[in-house]
Amino acid sequence: MTTTQIFLQVRAEVNQALDAARQAKIIGSSLEAYVELTVPRGTRLAETITAFTPEDLAELLIVSRGTVVLADTDSITGANSTESTGDTVTTTRVLPLSDNSSVTLQVDVGAADGLKCGRCWHVVPELVTLDAGVPGREPGQVCGRCNFAP
C-alpha cells in the first residue's frame, strides 16, 4: 500500500469524524476543528502520518490544527466505534492494509481554540490588524500567515 493510499484512508476516516462532530454541534465547518490522530507506534501508518508537519497535516485535512500522538498498540481501544463527550468526538477504526494486516486509528475532533482569520477562516491563537494604508489590502483581522500574503 502506498503512502498516498494510506493517507487517503486516514483522510476518509477524518472526514467521517468531522461529520460526526458537525452532527454533535461541536463544529460548524472543518476549519473550526482541531484533529488529533492517535496511531500505533512502529507501524507503517505512524511512519506515514508523522512524515507531515503539524501545519501540513492541518492543511491536508482542511482543519485549523492537526496533531499526531504515537501510542502503544494495545492502548487504542473501542475499534469501529464513535463516541461524543460533549466537546469532542472520538472515532476508532480498524484500517485494513494491503498485506492482509490491519492497524487501529483513533481520531479525536474538537473545536479549535482561538480566533477566526477574516481572510482564510482558519482558527488561530491570535490575529493581527492590517492597516488600511497598505495598497492592495483591505483592513481587518488576519492570521500571521495571511498578514504576509499580498
Side-chain angles (χ1 to χ4, degrees), residues 4-127:
T4 302
Q5 290 170 322
I6 292 171
F7 182 77
L8 290 175
Q9 274 191 303
V10 170
R11 176 124 165 83
E13 295 303 326
V14 168
N15 285 341
Q16 288 181 1
L18 289 168
D19 286 342
R22 276 189 205 94
Q23 290 174 0
K25 307 288 187 214
I26 294 170
I27 61 168
S29 75
S30 66
L31 288 177
E32 296 173 2
Y34 80 82
V35 171
E36 181 178 277
L37 303 174
T38 304
V39 298
R41 180 180 285 111
T43 62
R44 177 81 194 277
L45 176 61
E47 178 184 310
T48 300
I49 297 301
T50 58
F52 298 106
T53 66
E55 294 80 16
D56 289 342
L57 187 61
E59 287 293 319
L60 291 167
L61 296 176
I62 313 173
V63 296
S64 284
R65 195 175 87 226
T67 60
V68 177
V69 174
L70 297 175
D72 295 327
T73 304
D74 57 352
S75 68
I76 304 173
T77 60
N80 297 324
S81 65
T82 300
E83 66 179 61
S84 177
T85 62
D87 61 350
T88 305
V89 167
T90 301
T91 63
T92 307
R93 299 284 184 259
V94 176
L95 304 180
L97 301 176
S98 60
D99 63 357
N100 293 327
S101 66
S102 61
V103 65
T104 304
L105 169 70
Q106 179 177 309
V107 180
D108 295 297
V109 175
D113 293 332
L115 304 165
K116 186 176 181 179
C117 174
R119 182 179 283 176
C120 70
W121 295 9
H122 282 85
V123 177
V124 295
E126 62 184 1
L127 298 173

